[in-house]
Amino acid sequence: MATTDINTADTARDVRTIDGVVDVIASTAPEIRTGLPGRRVTAEDENPSGETQMAADVFADDLLCERIGALEGVGEYASEERPESVDVGTGRLSVAVDPLDGSSNLKPNNTMGTIFAVYEGPLPAHGRDLVAAGYVLYGPVMTMVVARNGTVDEYVIHDDASYELVREDVTLPDEGSVYGFGGRVPDWTDDFEAFAREVEQDASRKLRYGGSMIGDVNQILTYGGIFAYPTLESAPEGKLRVQFEGYPIGYVIETAGGATSDGAKSLLDVDKDDLHARTPMYVGNTDLVAKLEAALD
């Protein structure tokens, strides 16, 4: 289980701020989704990770920065789309977001999402500094998953920006039934490829990989199993960003009773001091993540 939760936020103001961040994410999601059709084109710039920005990335980032930054209690805002964090107030909580995870899926009209993390302290922060995290999934239905106060809840977001609780205290199923592995197979390490082939041999598991990390992780939260974006021969540090993807997804999955790893330890224990640092990511049921770590040892 994730060990840091809302109880570490020692003032009522922090509680209100966390609730406010969740409200902003939920109320902004319909506007982000509505704005996607006219923004399926590339922007002029690359993001700090060297990836081509979509106009929708910039649009979502600007909306979230303005609205989260207006919350009393938030001191810093950072996103995958900005080279540095932005000082937005005097609060002691910081918010990091991936405004539009999977934006490359705009062209084929596939799943995307928004990921958020609330840290106690300045950025870049550590995984154990998290007090809340979650994501919105722009699927056939808009849903929001939130981990805070030691539990994970799922909400449906309506077009009028209202949202309602549909599942309380979400946990991974005991028997995982899906798997998804990112990166090009020829770029996998030998140890990971051997593990992946073993997972594939289990006829009870189905391949689920859509090219949007948050959509693939949501499959794991729903059905159980394992998702990995592994160490690659060409990218030993992996692809996914620690502050914006690794820590918040680690927090959600571990709070839901699952396990996470960078190949050797919990994602929440990864120690990187660069805002845009990357990490390999392995998340899922505890038994499968343990087997993965043993395979890579």
Side-chain angles (χ1 to χ4, degrees):
M1 293 285 288
T3 57
T4 304
D5 58 41
I6 199 173
N7 295 319
T8 64
D10 56 7
T11 68
R13 181 182 178 187
D14 289 341
V15 176
R16 291 194 301 270
T17 300
I18 293 166
D19 291 345
V21 170
V22 172
D23 287 343
V24 166
I25 295 293
S27 63
T28 306
E31 191 169 346
I32 291 174
R33 189 180 196 182
T34 301
L36 296 179
R39 294 177 172 87
R40 299 172 66 189
V41 295
T42 58
E44 295 181 358
D45 299 320
E46 293 184 341
N47 68 18
S49 298
E51 299 165 338
T52 300
Q53 288 180 316
M54 302 295 290
D57 289 314
V58 178
F59 170 69
D61 181 38
D62 287 344
L63 283 178
L64 292 170
C65 182
E66 177 183 358
R67 294 172 186 181
I68 291 173
L71 292 172
E72 183 180 2
V74 176
E76 287 185 71
Y77 171 90
S79 86
E80 279 197 9
E81 309 306 325
R82 297 171 185 258
E84 299 176 349
S85 62
V86 180
D87 291 331
V88 293
T90 59
R92 67 195 195 99
L93 298 184
S94 300
V95 179
V97 304
D98 182 350
L100 202 57
D101 180 74
S103 58
S104 62
N105 277 340
L106 275 166
K107 188 174 181 179
N109 192 27
N110 210 337
T111 305
M112 291 166 288
T114 295
I115 306 170
F116 69 94
V118 184
Y119 297 97
E120 188 174 13
L123 298 170
H126 192 274
R128 299 297 175 183
D129 296 328
L130 277 163
V131 292
Y135 59 86
V136 171
L137 191 65
Y138 304 108
V141 177
M142 262 189 303
T143 57
M144 177 174 66
V145 169
V146 180
R148 55 181 166 178
N149 203 24
T151 62
V152 176
D153 297 320
E154 183 180 24
Y155 303 83
V156 167
I157 303 174
H158 300 292
D159 290 341
D160 64 359
S162 64
Y163 61 104
E164 62 178 316
L165 181 66
V166 292
R167 283 202 299 164
E168 292 184 88
D169 197 14
V170 177
T171 57
L172 270 69
D174 292 335
E175 299 295 329
S177 61
V178 300
Y179 66 94
F181 303 138
R184 295 180 61 249
V185 175
D187 211 11
W188 288 353
T189 64
D190 291 342
D191 288 342
F192 179 75
E193 183 171 4
F195 170 78
R197 298 305 175 220
E198 181 180 348
V199 171
E200 291 172 344
Q201 295 305 309
D202 187 334
S204 69
R205 297 195 182 100
K206 299 178 177 65
L207 172 64
R208 292 289 184 270
Y209 185 77
S212 167
M213 185 273 294
I214 200 58
D216 297 328
V217 166
N218 198 63
Q219 294 263 10
I220 301 302
L221 187 64
T222 304
Y223 298 113
I226 187 167
F227 167 79
Y229 204 103
T231 294
L232 302 175
E233 295 289 357
S234 63
E237 295 298 313
K239 176 186 176 183
L240 303 177
R241 268 67 56 160
V242 179
Q243 296 285 320
F244 308 105
E245 295 162 316
Y247 286 157
I249 296 308
Y251 189 83
V252 170
I253 294 296
E254 292 192 24
T255 303
T260 73
S261 179
D262 70 343
K265 59 186 176 298
S266 166
L267 287 173
L268 298 180
D269 290 324
V270 170
D271 192 8
K272 299 285 182 73
D273 58 7
D274 181 78
L275 185 63
H276 294 278
R278 300 175 186 259
T279 182
M281 177 188 285
Y282 311 92
V283 303
N285 288 80
T286 54
D287 59 331
L288 287 169
V289 174
K291 288 179 181 178
L292 175 280
E293 288 186 334
L296 299 184
D297 188 8

